[in-house]
């Protein structure tokens, strides 16, 4: 046997080992799905590998392990706000039961339930309710559950006056939600709606229609709730507003809307346990992969993340995600800018920019594999609209092809793509996705070196507004 034979064999064996390594690390492990674990959320990062190398992503592996340690052992920045970490699995049964009972009694007496709150005090509930509700729930004639309306998320006179018009004609109850109990927007809306409610039902009966969700002891709202004997729920001290959807803040309005809060918590607990079990398992932990990938992109000047959906009912889920990541990461002159887009709608407004504008963006697509309803495109004899090539196809198939076509186009155009998929929209899967993003946000914030649990920047506009309005103590 000559030298050439040994050389060729060595090259072949090396190539074989290299192929196994590549396959194992690149292609098999990044398509996550382990049916035994009940983890339905999958993440695919293969469409970022033209822009950042796997090494640049795996570079974060060691660091992320330390961040999990800091989170689980409460030794990192903002460690006093980590109550959300074990909340899904440890949620007290007596509070779940109380929420379910209150939700039932609200459903019996109210056609409308007004949720008054801003930021983290309403976005989680709105995200889950819109994701699970009928798209046109406000127009459904025979409603089984009250319509949920929101107030206190703006200071618009038109909005509030129009809301009062609607309430004039309906039986309703309200929740006032404010962790601090001092936020101006919900305080104004509450004062107005409380007055309306008291005029309508009398002070005594109005009390039975008011639920206050706030701090256990501090704040004007707590004091008011004590004096007026409102039914009250506590926002745990160690859970910040934007991490509070799985506390009574989110759970009461979600239960009133008729959704299964046990399944939501179960989904979140499944993700909680899976992530904890896999803190060392970088390639099989969706949180690690997502946090590392977006930070690798950020270090390569991809400073804007556009979260995309193809299902309009996820619009507010993206609004919730924007607040979670925006308020957690955007500080100390750092942070990925969280943007949102609703496809295919926004392909006809933002599509041009995404395809062709500044190349500092990446996209994360939330993809839903199966719709909960079924609808096919009908055949037409004359075919004047030239759509017969689609006849018999599910609308969803067209949507999926739009998604795949768009991903290819945007990746070709220089926009890396992360794809997060769910089998369908359900309480269980939304619970998984909520916990997934909460933990990814905490880990990402630690990678950036910021405290993901404070929001000092939010105070500045308030100080100016109070000074302009002449609030005592804030005069110029
Ligand atoms: O995430 C946060 O902490 C904020 O967005 C708050 O939820 C928001 O400012 C409302 O605060 P509060 O619940 O104290 O009224």
């Amino acid at each position: 046997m000559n030298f050439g034979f040994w050389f060729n064999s060595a090259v072949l064996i090396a190539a074989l080992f290299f192929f196994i390594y590549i396959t194992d690390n690149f292609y098999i492990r990044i398509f996550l799905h382990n049916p035994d674990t009940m983890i339905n959320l999958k993440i695919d990062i293969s469409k970022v590998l033209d822009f950042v190398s796997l090494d640049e992503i795996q570079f974060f592996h060691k660091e992320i392990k330390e961040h999990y340690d800091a989170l689980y052992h409460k030794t990192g920045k903002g460690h006093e706000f980590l109550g959300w970490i074990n909340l899904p699995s440890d949620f007290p049964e007596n509070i779940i039961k109380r929420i379910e009972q209150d939700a039932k009694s609200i459903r019996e007496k109210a056609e409308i339930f007004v949720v008054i709150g801003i930021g983290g005090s309403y976005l989680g509930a709105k995200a889950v309710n819109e994701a699970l509700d009928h798209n046109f729930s406000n127009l459904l004639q025979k409603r089984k559950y009250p319509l949920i309306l929101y107030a206190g998320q703006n200071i618009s006179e038109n909005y509030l006056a129009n809301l009062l018009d609607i309430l004039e004609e309906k039986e309703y109850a309200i929740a006032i939600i404010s962790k601090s109990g001092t936020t101006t927007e919900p305080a104004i809306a509450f004062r107005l709606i409380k007055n309306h409610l008291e005029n309508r039902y009398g002070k005594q009966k109005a009390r039975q229609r008011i639920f206050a969700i706030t701090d256990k002891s501090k704040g004007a709202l707590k004091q008011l709730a004590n004096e007026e004997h409102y039914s009250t729920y506590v926002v745990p001290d160690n859970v910040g507003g934007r991490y509070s959807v799985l506390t009574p803040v989110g759970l009461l309005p979600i239960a009133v809307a008729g959704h299964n809060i046990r399944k939501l918590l179960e989904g979140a607990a499944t993700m909680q346990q899976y992530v904890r079990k896999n803190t060392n398992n970088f390639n099989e932990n969706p949180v690690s992969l997502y946090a590392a990938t977006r930070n690798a992109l950020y270090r390569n000047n991809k400073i804007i993340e556009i979260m995309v959906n193809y299902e309009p009912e996820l619009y507010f889920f993206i609004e919730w995600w924007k607040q979670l990541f925006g308020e957690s990461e955007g500080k100390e002159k750092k942070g990925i800018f969280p943007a949102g887009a609703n496809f295919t709608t926004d392909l006809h407004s933002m599509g041009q920019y995404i395809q062709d504008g500044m190349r500092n963006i990446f996209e994360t697509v939330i993809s839903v594999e199966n719709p909960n309803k079924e609808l096919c495109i009908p055949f037409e004899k004359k075919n004047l609209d030239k759509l017969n090539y689609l006849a018999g196809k599910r609308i969803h198939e067209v949507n999926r092809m739009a998604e795949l076509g768009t991903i290819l186009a945007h990746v070709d155009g220089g926009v890396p793509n992360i794809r997060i998929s769910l089998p369908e929209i359900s309480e269980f899967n939304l619970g998984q996705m909520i916990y997934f993003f909460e933990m990814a946000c905490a880990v990402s914030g630690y990678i950036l070196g910021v405290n993901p649990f404070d929001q000092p920047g939010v105070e500045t506009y308030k100080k100016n507004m109070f000074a302009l309005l002449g609030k005592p103590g804030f005069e110029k």
Side-chain angles (χ1 to χ4, degrees):
M1 284 186 222
N2 58 22
F3 171 75
F5 170 80
W6 287 113
F7 179 75
N8 285 343
S9 307
V11 168
L12 215 67
I13 289 168
L16 191 67
F17 273 110
F18 185 58
F19 176 72
I20 291 169
Y21 171 79
I22 298 263
T23 312
D24 195 32
N25 282 286
F26 278 58
Y27 296 110
I28 293 183
R29 286 167 180 266
I30 56 180
F31 292 101
L32 288 167
H33 189 50
N34 184 346
D36 299 337
T37 62
M38 293 284 288
I39 289 297
N40 291 341
L41 181 146
K42 291 192 254 174
I43 182 165
D44 178 355
I45 59 165
S46 60
K47 300 278 185 307
V48 307
L49 297 176
D50 284 349
F51 305 89
V52 289
S53 68
L54 201 68
D55 278 351
E56 284 173 283
I57 295 169
Q58 287 188 324
F59 165 83
F60 291 104
H61 184 184
K62 187 165 164 280
E63 181 185 336
I64 283 179
K65 274 198 281 186
E66 289 161 12
H67 297 325
Y68 284 127
D69 265 0
L71 288 165
Y72 291 128
H73 297 114
K74 301 189 172 36
T75 54
K77 288 184 181 172
H79 55 81
E80 59 281 31
F81 291 106
L82 295 175
W84 55 273
I85 289 188
N86 294 325
L87 200 59
S89 63
D90 296 356
F91 202 95
E93 174 63 25
N94 61 327
I95 300 185
I96 301 185
K97 282 214 172 99
R98 203 184 135 208
I99 293 174
E100 287 171 337
Q101 277 157 10
D102 279 340
K104 187 165 172 277
S105 86
I106 292 165
R107 291 200 294 258
E108 280 161 7
K109 59 179 162 232
E111 299 166 271
I112 290 182
F113 187 55
V114 187
V115 175
I116 306 172
I118 194 165
S121 288
Y122 93 106
L123 279 166
K126 186 146 170 122
V128 173
N129 281 341
E130 298 234 332
L132 295 168
D133 280 349
H134 190 288
N135 291 79
F136 304 98
S137 59
N138 52 349
L139 295 175
L140 281 177
Q141 291 301 323
K142 284 194 192 129
R143 306 188 51 82
K144 247 171 99 192
Y145 303 105
L147 178 65
I148 314 290
L149 297 179
Y150 299 84
Q153 81 284 36
N154 58 49
I155 327 178
S156 161
E157 194 162 330
N158 280 347
Y159 185 96
L160 285 165
N162 288 337
L163 178 62
L164 291 179
D165 281 351
I166 295 296
L167 296 181
E168 200 57 53
E169 299 163 1
K170 302 280 181 189
E171 298 293 328
Y172 70 100
I174 64 180
I176 164 70
I177 308 177
S178 175
K179 183 176 182 200
S180 63
T182 58
T183 309
T184 310
E185 291 89 338
I188 292 172
F190 182 53
R191 184 182 275 213
L192 270 172
I193 298 171
K194 175 170 65 83
N195 279 350
H196 187 269
L197 198 67
E198 287 174 352
N199 289 336
R200 169 87 167 273
Y201 296 100
K203 213 167 164 49
Q204 196 55 34
K205 286 206 169 125
R207 276 193 192 117
Q208 290 155 17
R209 292 174 178 264
I210 299 176
F211 295 80
I213 306 181
T214 188
D215 187 85
K216 68 175 184 317
S217 54
K218 295 191 301 287
L221 176 58
K222 177 63 190 167
Q223 205 182 331
L224 181 72
N226 283 349
E227 279 189 21
E228 297 287 341
H229 304 290
Y230 296 148
S231 181
T232 307
Y233 286 92
V234 171
V235 188
D237 276 347
N238 55 2
V239 180
R242 58 192 174 275
Y243 288 83
S244 69
V245 51
L246 301 176
T247 72
V249 169
L251 296 179
L252 181 65
I254 293 168
V256 174
H259 306 304
N260 188 333
I261 56 171
R262 287 178 190 272
K263 284 267 170 244
L264 189 75
L265 286 166
E266 197 186 314
T270 312
M271 183 60 81
Q272 174 199 323
Q273 280 145 6
Y274 181 82
V275 171
R276 180 125 205 195
K277 227 171 90 193
N278 288 284
T279 50
N280 289 331
N281 230 343
F282 184 80
N283 290 327
E284 289 178 30
N285 185 329
V287 167
S288 308
L289 279 173
Y290 177 58
T293 304
R294 61 198 296 283
N295 277 284
L297 291 164
Y298 179 62
R299 291 191 186 178
N300 280 276
N301 204 32
K302 301 292 184 191
I303 58 168
I304 298 168
E305 178 174 10
I306 305 179
M307 186 63 67
V308 170
N309 71 68
Y310 281 79
E311 301 292 339
E313 55 264 41
L314 290 179
Y315 176 90
F316 262 94
F317 197 90
I318 292 182
E319 292 302 299
W320 170 83
W321 169 86
K322 273 161 62 179
Q323 191 223 355
L324 179 65
F325 278 76
E327 267 191 3
S328 300
E329 291 191 324
K331 46 198 73 156
E332 298 173 31
K333 312 288 174 272
K334 297 190 266 194
I336 299 171
F337 182 84
N342 307 287
F343 287 173
T344 60
T345 312
D346 293 342
L347 287 174
H348 298 259
S349 57
M350 294 301 294
Q352 172 61 36
Y353 189 101
I354 297 171
Q355 187 70 46
D356 238 1
M358 290 272 288
R359 299 298 74 188
N360 56 1
I361 53 185
F362 66 98
E363 278 179 329
T364 300
V365 173
I366 301 177
S367 179
V368 181
E369 306 285 358
N370 302 299
N372 298 327
K373 305 234 165 125
E374 199 173 323
L375 202 58
C376 291
I377 298 174
F379 175 81
E380 267 190 21
K381 222 170 166 186
K382 284 194 169 167
N383 196 25
L384 292 176
D385 53 11
K386 304 276 183 283
L387 277 183
N388 271 357
Y389 79 104
L390 295 176
K393 282 200 197 313
R394 301 265 309 261
I395 304 272
H396 186 63
E397 205 180 322
V398 183
N399 205 18
R400 275 182 66 81
M401 293 311 122
E403 180 190 323
L404 295 179
T406 306
I407 290 177
L408 290 177
H410 289 180
V411 171
D412 269 357
V415 180
N417 187 284
I418 301 173
R419 185 165 179 267
I420 289 166
S421 59
L422 296 175
E424 71 275 309
I425 299 177
S426 66
E427 285 94 336
F428 185 79
N429 292 340
L430 287 172
Q432 289 201 353
M433 192 156 67
I434 287 169
Y435 193 88
F436 162 78
F437 279 126
E438 285 181 347
M439 187 50 111
C441 183
V443 171
S444 271
Y446 278 179
I447 293 175
L448 274 174
V450 300
N451 176 354
F453 309 109
D454 66 0
Q455 55 284 329
V458 181
E459 295 310 310
T460 319
Y461 96 91
K462 292 185 193 169
K463 282 189 196 128
N464 291 342
M465 176 178 80
F466 293 152
L468 291 165
L469 288 168
K471 182 174 177 175
F474 286 85
E475 295 88 349
K476 278 187 260 183

